[in-house]
Amino acid sequence: HISQLAIIERIDPRKDVDGFHPYNLGRLADRMPLMRPCTPHGVIKLLDHIGIAYKSAHAVGIGAIKYADLCNDRIKDYVFSFDRMLSFDGNTAPYLQNAYVRIRSIFRKGDPSEANPDPAAIVVAAAEERALVLELLGFERAVVDVAETLQPHRLCTFLFNLATAFTRFYEACPVLKAEDPAVRRSRLA
C-alpha cells in the first residue's frame, strides 16, 4: 500500500487524497493492473485503497519517528534522518513493523485449531527456532531492566534482537508449509 501511495503521488503530486479526479484515477488504474477497477464503483474502491495506503504510510512514519527517539539513550545525541528512520534494515520501526506483519500473516492464514498450546508438544529442532526461543525467554528480564533503569532504549534493543531472530526463523523454518503436521502445530504454538 505504501508503494502504491508513492506511485499515486508521483503521478499527481497533490497531497490531498480526496482531491483525485476520476480521470486521474483511470490513468492510474491503467498503470497499476492489480488495482484496476473491477466494479461499476471501481473509482470508489480505488479511493478506499488510497485512503488505506495513506493511513498506513502515516502510521509507519509516526512510528518511525517515535521509535527513533526511544531507541537512543536519552543522554546521547543522534542525527535526525528520515532516510535512516524509514529504512527497513537495521534497528528501525519499519523493520519491527515488518516482522509484526509477518507474524500476523502467519496467524491470519493458519488454522487456530491447529496450534498446539501443550508445552510438551513444542519441538525446537532448528537452530533458528532455538535462537528465537532464547530471545523470547529474555522478555521478562528486559522489561524488569527497563523498569529499574528507566531506559526505554533497552527495550528497543530487545525488540530489535527479537525481530532479527524471528526474521531468521521465518526465512529458514516454514510454519504453514511445514511438511510434518506436528512441526506445523509446534511452530504455530
Side-chain angles (χ1 to χ4, degrees):
H1 292 278
I2 296 168
S3 63
Q4 292 166 355
L5 183 62
I7 291 169
I8 291 165
E9 287 183 341
R10 266 189 250 128
I11 293 170
D12 190 345
R14 290 177 287 171
K15 301 283 186 197
D16 181 11
V17 173
D18 296 328
F20 286 104
H21 299 293
Y23 174 74
N24 290 340
L25 290 174
R27 287 188 307 164
L28 175 66
D30 291 339
R31 293 181 187 178
M32 298 172 62
L34 293 177
M35 290 182 67
R36 188 164 292 165
C38 56
T39 68
H41 305 289
V43 171
I44 294 168
K45 270 192 154 178
L46 190 55
L47 281 174
D48 289 342
H49 286 295
I50 293 168
I52 291 168
Y54 181 79
K55 289 176 185 174
S56 297
H58 186 263
V60 169
I62 296 296
I65 292 170
K66 288 182 177 185
Y67 185 80
D69 196 35
L70 284 174
C71 78
N72 291 292
D73 192 346
R74 68 179 188 273
I75 60 173
K76 292 185 180 176
D77 293 335
Y78 69 92
V79 176
F80 187 91
S81 166
F82 280 121
D83 291 336
R84 172 73 183 114
M85 290 176 191
L86 295 172
S87 173
F88 280 92
D89 298 319
N91 191 2
T92 63
Y95 181 82
L96 269 62
Q97 290 167 337
N98 187 44
Y100 174 75
V101 167
R102 286 179 168 180
I103 293 167
R104 296 296 306 156
S105 175
I106 289 171
F107 288 123
R108 187 178 62 252
K109 292 176 184 175
D111 182 7
S113 65
E114 196 175 359
N116 189 351
D118 180 19
I122 296 175
V123 177
V124 180
E128 293 83 4
E129 281 179 303
R130 186 176 191 283
L132 179 58
V133 168
L134 291 174
E135 282 296 329
L136 284 167
L137 290 174
F139 177 71
E140 181 182 2
R141 183 68 236 155
V143 172
V144 169
D145 188 35
V146 168
E148 289 174 352
T149 63
L150 301 177
Q151 296 178 332
H153 72 278
R154 293 183 181 203
L155 182 61
C156 294
T157 301
F158 169 79
L159 293 173
F160 171 67
N161 292 337
L162 181 61
T164 301
F166 173 76
T167 299
R168 289 184 184 135
F169 163 78
Y170 182 84
E171 291 170 353
C173 305
V175 177
L176 300 175
K177 294 182 180 182
E179 292 180 15
D180 184 2
V183 171
R184 185 173 39 253
R185 284 191 300 272
S186 174
R187 290 180 179 166
L188 280 170

